[in-house]
Amino acid sequence: MALLKADHIHVYYGSIHAVKGVSFEVNEGEVVTLIGANGAGKSTVLNTVSGLLHPRSGSIEFEGKDLKGMPPHKIVEHGLAQCPEGRRIFLQMTVEDNLEMGAFTQPGSTIAGGIADVYKRFPRLEERRRQVAGTLSGGEQQMLAMGRALMSRPKLLMLDEPSMGLAPILVEQIFDIIRELHKAGTTILLVEQNAQAALSVADRAYVLETGTVSLSGTGAELMASDKVREAYLGG
Amino acid sequence: MSFLSNVISGISLGSIYAIIALGYTMVYGIAKMLNFAHGDVIMVGAYVCFFAVSAYNLPPVIGVLLAVALCTALGMLIERMAYKPLRQAPSLAVLITAIGVSYFLQNAALLWWGSDPKKFPAFIVVGEQNGVSLFGGQLRITYVAIVTVVACVAIMAGLIAFTGKTKMGKAMRACSEDKGAAQLMGINVNATISMTFAIGSALAAIAGVLMCSAYDTLLPTTGSMPGIKAFTAAVFGGIGSIPGAFLGGLLLGVIQIFTQAYLSQELADAIVFAVLIVVLLVKPTGLLGKQIQEKV
């Protein structure tokens, strides 16, 4: 059984039909990526899974349970965490307070351990733990956003454009971290514009084009596909 | 000696403004809306305490607790009924609704409790005395003034500790910065906003009782002007900032009393608002307001 299963979801922004019958699955332990151009509906799909948007039709199941009508904070409690596009860390709060917020749904006794785990993975954050998050560099902010999402000990981690706006060396670092998380058994749903990097870490991938899935397959298959090469990998 | 006496009156009045302003600023900080009905919740709190003590002969402490409990419930009810349905609406719609709620409360009070002024009982007394005299009677400090200042400082310290140290308080700050991201952390934003209204309204009840203990006439419009002054104080200090509301309230009270004493009784309010305008021209974010720097 798939961990997450979206079945023909349709999502609207007012009268704009942004997602037109998208279906996909994420199995336990997999890294699945949704790639596609700007405006293809990738973030809309993630925000719908997180409950920030509601599908007009179609269903989303997590561990076999229908998420329909569930408010976002309940969805987090069920083990789905999203690290949103643009990071959206709490800029006026300290690094450690941001991490603590990530563990909002967790019992108080586990928070210190969670923070220690995040610091082990991102030593830079520990150096800056008392600093206000707004003073961090872009790369550090992305690490904080990912660390914060991990604090809820999610069964599925959704990453929305984690490489956006980062220097190439940092992009590489972020994808190394995704590989490490994968190796440690974390299930990841990754949304990326950087198709090359995303396909290289993904077990399976879906290509989104103007609100529909135009192609799907394993990361390697899509990497080799002429259509994908032309459209997303620069020939 | 009259100077010292004015300073004390100013700080005491300012503390009342500060307690109201703290409620305003909490709600603004988290819900990002100006709750113009806040001043009228003060009035409701004062009436509840008045009737509990005068009509039902309950002990003053019970009267205050009742006022706090009922205003907390009222604040949450107002939020649930009037503001929550407008969460996605333009801020102008919310603002107008808040003004509507304000008039609703004033007129409901008029209908229920009548237009004749009530004389609020002086219950902050020790023995028969309502204050202490110093320097052979030249300087008099009322117990109400002392209680007001102490309550104000305690409330501010409590709010700073709450928002800085507790999980719920930090969640409020998270909601204040980014509601969408807060939801993705598993924070129930609606419950958090509701709680903010509860805290703000409880503070309004305390302010109402203290204000009517110091200035004893109680009318359905009693909360209106102090509400606007306290809003001014919150903006003056930097809206959204807890120490800012405290500082703004104190300064506003002192400025008001000093203008009344040394310049003009009639122009006092005009001068208070003129000071606000000047401060905002020089520092648009208020005295302690933060210029938010976002890094993209």
Side-chain angles (χ1 to χ4, degrees), chain B residues 2-195:
Chain B
S2 78
F3 175 81
L4 203 55
S5 165
N6 284 328
V7 171
I8 291 166
S9 307
I11 290 177
S12 154
L13 176 66
S15 297
I16 292 172
Y17 288 154
I19 297 172
I20 310 171
L22 285 167
Y24 249 114
T25 230
M26 285 289 285
V27 167
Y28 179 83
I30 284 92
K32 293 284 178 280
M33 67 160 291
L34 295 171
N35 179 21
F36 277 117
H38 192 66
D40 303 292
V41 177
I42 295 167
M43 173 271 295
V44 173
Y47 268 104
V48 170
C49 185
F50 169 80
F51 282 111
V53 175
S54 297
Y56 296 95
N57 286 317
L58 293 169
V61 178
I62 302 291
V64 176
L65 290 178
L66 260 178
V68 168
L70 283 174
C71 284
T72 304
L74 177 68
M76 290 167 80
L77 184 74
I78 292 172
E79 194 276 328
R80 180 72 190 76
M81 306 282 289
Y83 304 146
K84 193 182 167 203
L86 298 174
R87 206 56 56 76
Q88 310 299 332
S91 56
L92 197 56
V94 186
L95 189 70
I96 289 166
T97 305
I99 293 171
V101 172
S102 165
Y103 280 110
F104 175 83
L105 290 178
Q106 283 179 31
N107 286 287
L110 197 60
L111 192 68
W112 271 5
W113 299 319
S115 59
D116 54 316
K118 307 274 188 279
K119 188 163 165 30
F120 202 82
F123 56 66
I124 306 183
V125 288
V126 177
E128 291 293 297
Q129 291 292 313
N130 72 343
V132 285
S133 292
L134 298 173
F135 305 109
Q138 286 188 71
L139 182 65
R140 189 162 175 77
I141 305 175
T142 61
Y143 292 127
V144 177
I146 298 171
V147 170
T148 305
V149 174
V150 170
C152 178
V153 172
I155 288 168
M156 183 193 61
L159 286 179
I160 288 177
F162 174 69
T163 55
K165 300 271 179 247
T166 67
K167 185 174 169 185
M168 199 57 220
K170 287 179 189 175
M172 279 186 178
R173 278 160 59 211
C175 287
S176 156
E177 268 200 59
D178 186 337
K179 290 194 182 52
Q183 282 180 304
L184 292 178
M185 302 300 106
I187 296 169
N188 184 343
V189 171
N190 282 329
T192 309
I193 291 178
S194 181
M195 187 163 170

Side-chain angles (χ1 to χ4, degrees), chain A residues 152-216:
Chain A
S152 69
R153 303 187 185 278
K155 292 172 191 153
L156 173 64
L157 174 65
M158 297 187 282
L159 300 170
D160 195 350
E161 304 274 11
S163 75
M164 192 171 72
L166 297 182
I169 179 141
L170 289 171
V171 173
E172 215 168 285
Q173 225 177 332
I174 294 293
F175 279 94
D176 283 343
I177 292 163
I178 294 173
R179 276 188 201 95
E180 281 168 29
L181 289 170
H182 185 200
K183 218 181 287 167
T186 315
T187 311
I188 296 174
L189 176 58
L190 170 69
V191 156
E192 260 295 339
Q193 278 196 59
N194 186 341
Q196 174 106 46
L199 291 174
S200 73
V201 296
D203 295 307
R204 291 187 306 110
Y206 295 84
V207 179
L208 242 64
E209 251 173 282
T210 59
T212 53
V213 173
S214 62
L215 215 60
S216 64

Side-chain angles (χ1 to χ4, degrees), chain A residues 88 91-92 97 100 104, chain B residues 167 170 177-178 183 295:
Chain A
R88 291 173 67 176
L91 296 170
Q92 295 179 43
D97 282 350
E100 198 183 314
F104 192 80
Chain B
K167 185 174 169 185
K170 287 179 189 175
E177 268 200 59
D178 186 337
Q183 282 180 304
K295 197 163 194 170

